[in-house]
Amino acid sequence: MQKISVIGGGAAGLACAVMLARAGEEVTILERGDRLGRKLAASGNGQGNVTNVHMDASHYFTDDPKHLARALSRFGSRETANFLSSMGGIFLPDARGRVYPAGRQASAIVDLFRRELERLGVKVIFQARVEDISYRNSFKLTYKEGTMSADKVILCAGGCAAEHFGTDGTAYALAQKFGHSLTPLRPALVRLKSDPALVKGLRGIRIDGALTVLHGAEPRFGVRGDILFTENGVSGDAVFRASSYAEKGDTLELDLLPDVSAEALRAAIGGRTGEDALLCILPNGLGRVLCRRAESLDALVSLVKAFRLPVLGDCGFREAQVTKGGIPLSETKEELESKYQKGLFFAGEILNVDGECGGYNLQWAFTSAFLAAAGVKSC
Ligand SMILES: Cc1cc2nc3c(=O)[nH]c(=O)nc-3n(C[C@H](O)[C@H](O)[C@H](O)COP(=O)(O)OP(=O)(O)OC[C@H]3O[C@@H](n4cnc5c(N)ncnc54)[C@H](O)[C@@H]3O)c2cc1C
C-alpha cells in the first residue's frame, strides 16, 4: 500500500482520491478551504454539467494536443458517466450533448464523492494549504498546521480562475520548485466588456444568436448560442466560448436573428417605421432600442443582422470559469507524472488544458484524475 497525498479537494482531487482508494492505496486529501468540491458544486449554473457526449480534443486548448487526444481516448465522456454513476446517481445528456445528473443538482455530485470517500476511509484534512513540497527518498509536504510525508503526490490545486473557490494561482509555485515552467495565464469562459453606451438599455436581454469574432476584418471564430446583454458588455454560453478567441481591439459581430435572412427580415418589417417595427421579431426591449438607433430600413436590418460591439477586455480571473494556461502538458509523461520529479503527478486545471463551455473542463478534471491515478498505481 502506497501513501498518497492529493493536494486540492476539487473535481480532479476528489476523483483521483476515489480511484486510488478503490485500488487499495492509503489516500489523504489536503484541502486549503473548509469544504470539498466548491467549484464543482457551482458548476453548470448549479446543475453540474459534468461532460459532453461530443468529446474530442478539438474542444480544447493545450500545448500538447496529441497527448490530450490519447488521454481522452482512454477516459472520455462515457467513462466519466460510468465512473460517477458507480458512486450512485444517473447522468443523462441533454439535446446539446451536455451531461448532467438527472436531479440537476451539482452539489449532489459533491455529496456522492463525500459518501464514497467516507466509505473508502479516505482522510481529508481541511484548512491545509500546502505551502511547500520537498523530496528526499519520500515527499515532505508542509502546510499551515503541520507536515506530512508521502510516497506519491498528486497536485490538483486548480488554476487562478474564480479565486473565491480557493484558487488564487499560488499553487503553481509548488510545481515550479521542481523545475516546471508556466505558460502565460489568461481568464477563459468569461464575460466580455464593450462600450456601455452601445449596450445601454439592453441589460438582462437574452437571445439565441450567432456571434463572430472579427480580428480587423478577418473572422476568427464563429459560434451560435446564448447571448446575454450586461451593463457593460455581453455574457452567455456563446460569449464564454468566444472569450477564448477574442482580444482587446477585436470586434464582436452579433446576428440577433440568425434563422432569418436579411431579405426576409426586410420583407417582414415592410414599410413600418417607429419603435414597434420589430414587434414579434426580437424581444420588445431589444427591438425598441434598435429601432430608436436606426435612421433607415437598411440601417435597422444591418443592426439586427450585424450588431457590432468593440471588445474592450474581459471581466478577469475573478469572474472567469477557467484558466487558460498552466503547467505545460508536454512537461508530463503519458500518465501525467512530472518529467522532472519522479512520483509527482498533476491533474485538473493546474495543467495547460482548458476546454470550451459545455462540460469539457470537468471532463478534463476526470480524465486527468484517471491518468494520474493509473500512473500512481503502476509505478
Ligand atoms: C462558476 C463556475 C461554473 C463552472 N461550470 C462548469 C461546467 O458546468 N462544466 C465544466 O466542465 N466546467 C465548469 N467549470 C469549470 C470547472 O469547475 C473546473 O474546470 C474544475 O472544477 C477544475 O477542477 P480542479 O479540481 O482542477 O480545480 P478546482 O475545482 O479549482 O479545485 C482545486 C482545489 O484545490 C484547493 N487548493 C488550491 N491551492 C491549494 C493548496 N496550496 N493546498 C491545498 N489545497 C489547495 C482549492 O481550495 C480547491 O478546492 C465551472 C467553473 C466555475 C467557476
Side-chain angles (χ1 to χ4, degrees):
M1 186 193 279
Q2 306 184 82
K3 213 171 148 190
I4 317 291
S5 290
V6 172
I7 303 176
L14 292 172
C16 228
V18 166
M19 291 171 187
L20 285 166
R22 282 179 177 176
E25 308 291 7
E26 183 188 331
V27 185
T28 303
I29 299 177
L30 293 142
E31 166 53 48
R32 76 179 256 185
D34 55 9
R35 264 181 304 151
L36 294 172
R38 277 177 295 172
K39 212 177 272 182
L40 174 58
S43 65
N45 285 324
Q47 299 191 25
N49 176 198
V50 289
T51 182
N52 197 301
V53 295
H54 308 296
M55 183 56 58
D56 63 61
S58 68
H59 298 281
Y60 291 87
F61 303 87
T62 177
D63 57 291
D64 196 346
K66 287 185 180 156
H67 190 169
L68 175 65
R70 290 191 299 275
L72 291 170
S73 73
R74 286 180 68 182
F75 199 91
S77 59
R78 191 176 317 123
E79 287 77 12
T80 288
N82 287 343
F83 167 65
L84 293 174
S85 47
S86 73
M87 295 187 286
I90 296 171
F91 293 83
L92 297 171
D94 69 4
R96 285 159 64 184
R98 299 175 299 188
V99 178
Y100 293 89
R104 291 279 179 149
Q105 208 177 348
S107 61
I109 309 171
V110 181
D111 293 335
L112 274 188
F113 273 111
R114 237 188 259 120
R115 186 173 70 187
E116 186 68 359
L117 292 172
E118 213 174 290
R119 186 184 75 78
L120 293 163
V122 172
K123 188 172 171 194
V124 182
I125 308 179
F126 289 109
Q127 310 285 5
R129 177 184 177 152
V130 176
E131 284 160 355
D132 188 47
I133 314 173
S134 56
Y135 183 81
R136 217 171 133 195
N137 301 322
S138 66
F139 288 96
K140 182 179 165 201
L141 285 78
T142 307
Y143 56 98
K144 217 174 157 196
E145 305 290 334
T147 60
M148 74 178 298
S149 64
D151 301 316
K152 305 271 163 59
V153 170
I154 308 168
L155 189 49
C156 314
C160 44
E163 189 182 336
H164 43 290
F165 293 114
T167 43
D168 57 6
T170 51
Y172 293 121
L174 299 173
Q176 286 174 303
K177 204 191 148 191
F178 291 98
H180 284 282
S181 63
L182 196 57
T183 67
L185 303 174
R186 204 188 123 177
L189 304 190
V190 63
R191 287 199 289 151
L192 292 173
K193 285 188 195 161
S194 188
D195 180 351
L198 294 175
V199 290
K200 194 160 180 242
L202 302 179
R203 183 182 176 178
I205 295 175
R206 189 184 288 274
I207 54 142
D208 172 24
L211 183 161
T212 307
V213 178
L214 296 173
H215 187 65
E218 176 208 336
R220 202 178 240 189
F221 177 72
V223 62
R224 170 85 188 256
D226 224 25
I227 299 169
L228 171 70
F229 290 95
T230 66
E231 73 282 9
N232 61 354
V234 274
S235 183
D237 270 13
V239 176
F240 285 169
R241 290 183 65 183
S243 69
S244 290
Y245 302 87
E247 287 169 10
K248 194 172 171 179
D250 288 349
T251 302
L252 302 181
E253 188 176 273
L254 312 183
D255 182 343
L256 305 172
L257 201 61
D259 296 324
V260 177
S261 69
E263 294 67 40
L265 172 62
R266 195 182 290 274
I269 297 171
R272 293 180 196 90
T273 53
E275 290 197 359
D276 60 359
L278 292 172
L279 271 184
C280 278
I281 294 176
L282 287 180
N284 283 352
L286 178 58
R288 268 197 304 272
V289 168
L290 298 191
C291 288
R292 259 183 248 136
R293 281 188 203 170
E295 285 172 356
S296 65
L297 178 60
D298 281 349
L300 184 57
V301 170
S302 121
L303 273 179
V304 175
K305 296 299 289 175
F307 186 84
R308 288 186 165 210
L309 292 172
V311 178
L312 301 185
D314 59 50
C315 288
F317 279 116
R318 211 184 143 66
E319 284 202 16
Q321 290 198 357
V322 290
T323 312
K324 188 173 282 302
I327 309 296
L329 188 58
S330 55
E331 291 182 4
T332 65
K333 297 181 191 167
E334 201 60 18
E335 291 179 328
L336 307 184
E337 185 176 19
S338 162
K339 285 185 177 170
Y340 309 139
Q341 175 57 57
K342 198 169 162 35
L344 173 66
F345 291 77
F346 300 97
E349 196 175 319
I350 194 162
L351 286 163
N352 177 28
V353 177
D354 65 288
E356 292 174 354
C357 205
Y360 295 99
N361 289 293
L362 285 172
Q363 176 62 52
W364 170 244
F366 299 131
T367 294
S368 54
F370 167 82
L371 285 188
V376 166
K377 285 185 268 176
S378 69
C379 69

